[in-house]
Amino acid sequence: MTAPAPVPYDPELVAGLDAFVSLVEIIPLRADSIHANRDHFATIIPPMTVQAEGRAVSWEDRVISGPEGAPDLEITIVRPSRAASGPAPAVLSIHGGGMVLGTRFFGTGELIDLAERHGVVGVAVEYRLAPEHPGPAQAEDCYAALEWMAAHADELAIDPDRIIASGMSAGGGLSAAVALLSRDRGGPRLAGQLLGCPMLDDRNETVSARQYDGFGAWDRNNNDTAWDAIAGTERFTDAVSPYTAPARATDLSGLAPAFIEVGAAETFRDEAVDYATRIWATGGQAELHVWAGGYHGFHGFSPDAEVSKAANAARESWLRRILHLDE
């Protein structure tokens, strides 16, 4: 089958895309190179001492209980330096990396920004990676961190009614999985789920997946490698849990309000649009943004482009509304 023509990239984003690919994808992500890619990621993610230097935040590492029968979890808590007038809003930060790469420090930059600007308290969770730990181990770890946050709301000085799950790429997919787990288990009620270019569907068969087969910031081949590691022999079957691949959920009703953002020029475009459409079909709340010419994670590597500024403003607006943020 001939691959459909790709949506062209916004010209302002091309330099950032080239920088993204040259920095992140030194070694093609395949089954035999996952560990080499992990080692490479470790060299490009700054430690917290560097990320927080000169910023108006404090931070600490903790070890908390993991899911029943699973190992303990490492987390990092980020707090604003300024004194709060009352319980703060909170964010559970879930990092990207295809559920096979990365660490919790891949997403702590967002927590530092939110703590400085809005007094948000953030918790970044170190979830288990595939293939050593097949899905839904990743979602279970993240949900355990959410339960811990809600149970320790007083200690953290957070408002348990103003917690969101937030992540990009794999972190977006896992945020969706946490929202499903929260609903299904009657657990801590999320105020919202921020799904940035979310990785939702193990089948990898959409038009947009085929449009970005062999090139781009996270192409169809990388996605196949990751899903093979996550779902193993269950991939493509009905045995895949919705907590592993949220697109597999047959019921998207009763979920926390979702913010879903994705580039028009990336692999995950169509599954993100479908997920929002299915939430709306149940009468649920979803705010969907498909950014013209945007590659995977474009606003991180091309922050000065006009489309990135628009995307950042839209996300900021949703956060203000969902978390009732002060100026």
Side-chain angles (χ1 to χ4, degrees), residues 1 11 17 22 24 40 44 50 52 54 170 182 192 202 236 246 255 297 306:
M1 180 184 296
L17 172 60
S22 64
V24 175
H40 175 61
I44 64 175
V50 173
S182 174
D202 65 288
F236 300 111
L255 294 173
E306 281 300 317

Side-chain angles (χ1 to χ4, degrees), residues 7-15 17 265 291-295 298 302 305-308:
V7 175
Y9 298 117
D10 182 317
E12 273 198 289
L13 300 177
V14 172
L17 172 60
W291 296 104
Y295 61 85
F298 65 93
S302 304
E306 281 300 317
V307 68
S308 299

Side-chain angles (χ1 to χ4, degrees), residues 144-156:
L146 172 65
E147 289 190 308
W148 181 88
M149 290 175 70
H152 293 78
D154 289 344
E155 176 194 347
L156 294 169

Side-chain angles (χ1 to χ4, degrees), residues 61-85:
D61 294 328
R62 291 265 193 103
V63 176
I64 64 172
S65 296
E68 184 175 357
D72 289 344
L73 298 173
E74 294 179 327
I75 62 170
T76 295
I77 305 167
V78 179
R79 296 183 176 91
S81 295
R82 70 177 189 264
S85 58

